[in-house]
Amino acid sequence: MAAHPVDEKLPALKMATSGLQHVAAMYAGVVAPPLIVGAAVGLSATDLTFLTGACLFTAGLATFLQTLGIWKIGARLPFVNGVTFAGVAPMTAVVASTEDKSDALPIIFGAVIVAGFLGFLAAPFFSKAVRFFPPVVTGSVITLIGVSLLPVAFGWAQGPDPKAADYGSTTYLTLAGITLLIVLLLRRFARGFVKQIAVLLGLTVGTLVAIPFGVTDFGPVADADAVGFPTPFHFGAPQFQFAAILSLCVVMVVSMTESTADMLALGEIVERPADEPTIAAGLRADTLGSALSPLFNGFMCSAFAQNIGLVAMTRIRSRYVVATGGGFLVLMGLCPMAASLIAVVPRPVLGGAGIVLFGSVAASGIQTLVRAGLDRDNNVLIVAVSLAVGIIPITAPEFYHSFPGPAKIVLDSGISTGCVTAVVLNLLFNHLGKGREAHDVTPPMEAGEEIAAAH
């Protein structure tokens, strides 16, 4: 009997090229979190290259765990795993609240380890509790992730140093605009593989355009070794701080929710529906990969949704293709010179691409909200309040200034507070007391209706 397309092993050349395409589709997404967190910590170019390589290496290991699987670990679907965007805002909040920045990464790594192991234990139970995380909750949270990251892109677009005299100069903003334009043109007019790697091509062309302006530094590549290994606990032994652990545990819940939705979607695309045991096994792979990632200086791992779109577009459903992509990620992580290439890209160029990258995350959240049943005012209220609470740290950074330090780590993460708000409000409006049906609810009133009704 012929193997299911998910378990099919393709010819070596097709396996390699298709695997590289998956890497290209998610590469920018993997390197963005270490760039953001590393810049917040103030890492040198060498350490930033090391952190980027470590995240590529651990993403490859997590992808192996998810696609190939061991025991009851791994969904054994064509799933690419990498650093989740959901953790970026809470991690930068940890950095901001840590006086000695050299302690920031060890605190983050300790929190990821605890959150990962707790998530691993909760995986079989979480697969049964998915009903408490409907699209109205997940859509709100994913939207907040994108919105929370956009200020990072805007900061990059203005230059590398906020204290420099040329910060926000027309040169930097022009470079960001050119990069953004290149990505948009490629997404509009290119086809197939070129369209999929539009962000990567935009970064490359933007970097080349920036050379005459004197803002491209090739030093990190010249100083990088051809071969290296992400030394365990390179930035120090993990530290365990309760507030950071709590914040990253909330992120783990968000990540597990998003992964569950991705598994359900991918199962339909590859015609192998994800049942409860598959979801539990997939979540175990996500959480175990996350728990082990800090050993090699990596962050929390999760499924990459953009690669699901690639599977749907190419119709190549083999999990071994994605595992091959995981092998390329591991090799890139073992080659500091390859990892250092991203350090060459000027910040304004990264900013232009980041607008598309982070904006796409917010857009995917809005797509999820479209399926959330916003014709019910219960759901409108859930979205409205959770988004408002989640945006507070962005629009009013000093809002929680009078709270104690540990509380600020959690409260200053709009993703964490927005997620908790959405879950609680969803329980209140849609679960407790069975809720009211849509036809029993008055829809939100349009502006001016109340005045007209009074007359």
Side-chain angles (χ1 to χ4, degrees):
M1 188 174 68
H4 189 283
V6 169
D7 300 317
E8 185 181 4
K9 295 181 179 178
L10 305 179
L13 181 59
K14 190 170 184 180
M15 193 95 78
T17 54
S18 299
L20 274 174
Q21 187 167 235
H22 275 283
V23 172
M26 53 89 77
Y27 182 83
V30 173
V31 300
L35 280 174
I36 298 169
V37 177
V41 173
L43 295 182
S44 64
T46 303
D47 278 341
L48 193 60
T49 294
F50 182 92
L51 186 64
T52 303
C55 286
L56 288 168
F57 179 78
T58 53
L61 296 182
T63 299
F64 283 153
L65 204 57
Q66 191 67 269
T67 53
L68 303 179
I70 53 172
W71 185 57
K72 295 183 179 180
I73 302 170
R76 293 170 174 83
L77 291 171
F79 240 2
V80 176
N81 272 43
V83 182
T84 174
F85 273 112
V88 173
M91 288 191 293
T92 52
V94 170
V95 174
S97 65
T98 305
E99 290 187 15
D100 186 351
K101 299 306 179 188
S102 64
D103 289 333
L105 285 175
I107 290 172
I108 289 171
F109 291 147
V112 171
I113 290 171
V114 174
F117 277 119
L118 289 177
F120 183 84
L121 297 175
F125 306 102
F126 191 90
S127 62
K128 301 177 186 294
V130 174
R131 66 192 185 94
F132 295 114
F133 297 89
V136 69
V137 173
T138 57
S140 299
V141 174
I142 296 169
T143 302
L144 278 173
I145 292 171
V147 171
S148 297
L149 292 174
L150 278 171
V152 174
F154 301 148
W156 283 348
Q158 296 179 79
D161 185 4
K163 297 178 181 178
D166 61 350
Y167 186 70
S169 67
T170 54
T171 299
Y172 288 149
L173 296 182
T174 299
L175 288 174
I178 290 172
T179 305
L180 174 60
L181 181 62
I182 292 167
V183 174
L184 291 176
L185 290 174
L186 287 172
R187 290 295 299 177
R188 173 62 182 85
F189 296 107
R191 294 289 181 269
F193 182 61
V194 174
K195 184 175 182 178
Q196 285 298 319
I197 61 171
V199 172
L200 197 59
L201 291 175
L203 290 173
T204 303
V205 177
T207 300
L208 294 175
V209 171
I211 292 175
F213 294 93
V215 296
T216 304
D217 179 16
F218 290 96
V221 177
D223 297 336
D225 297 326
V227 179
F229 184 79
T231 314
F233 301 130
H234 174 81
F235 297 100
Q239 299 178 27
F240 302 95
Q241 186 186 91
F242 177 75
I245 290 171
L246 180 61
S247 183
L248 268 296
C249 281
V250 172
V251 173
M252 180 57 74
V253 172
V254 175
S255 175
M256 292 171 74
T257 304
E258 189 175 354
S259 288
T260 300
D262 289 341
M263 275 184 270
L264 292 170
L266 184 60
E268 294 298 322
I269 290 170
V270 301
E271 298 177 355
R272 180 182 278 181
D275 54 13
E276 193 174 296
T278 301
I279 292 173
L283 292 177
R284 287 192 190 98
D286 268 9
T287 53
L288 182 60
S290 295
L292 296 178
S293 185
L295 172 65
F296 300 105
N297 312 283
F299 298 136
M300 189 178 292
C301 294
S302 181
F304 267 53
Q306 57 263 50
N307 291 83
I308 296 175
L310 189 57
V311 171
M313 185 192 74
T314 62
R315 302 300 295 165
I316 297 175
R317 295 176 278 178
S318 171
R319 60 191 174 103
Y320 295 105
V321 164
V322 175
T324 302
F328 284 121
L329 288 170
V330 169
L331 290 175
M332 292 170 72
L334 295 175
C335 178
M337 190 172 289
S340 68
L341 288 174
I342 195 66
V344 172
V345 181
R347 289 291 169 83
V349 174
L350 279 173
I355 291 172
V356 177
L357 196 62
F358 304 152
S360 296
V361 177
S364 67
I366 294 170
Q367 287 177 326
T368 304
L369 286 174
V370 169
R371 306 194 303 269
L374 295 184
D375 54 330
R376 298 181 57 186
D377 70 343
N378 282 354
N379 287 344
V380 171
L381 286 172
I382 294 169
V383 175
V385 177
S386 58
L387 287 180
V389 170
I391 290 173
I392 286 174
I394 303 172
T395 56
E398 299 299 318
F399 191 82
Y400 300 111
H401 74 278
S402 62
F403 283 74
K408 285 178 65 179
I409 291 178
V410 179
L411 294 172
D412 282 342
S413 167
I415 297 168
S416 300
T417 54
C419 178
V420 171
T421 302
V423 170
V424 171
L425 291 180
N426 180 59
L427 287 172
L428 177 65
F429 283 103
N430 293 332
H431 288 274
L432 297 181
K434 297 182 180 179
R436 292 180 293 166
E437 297 301 322
H439 56 74
D440 296 326
V441 177
T442 304
M445 188 171 286
E446 292 291 334
E449 277 189 6
E450 189 172 5
I451 298 172
H455 284 290

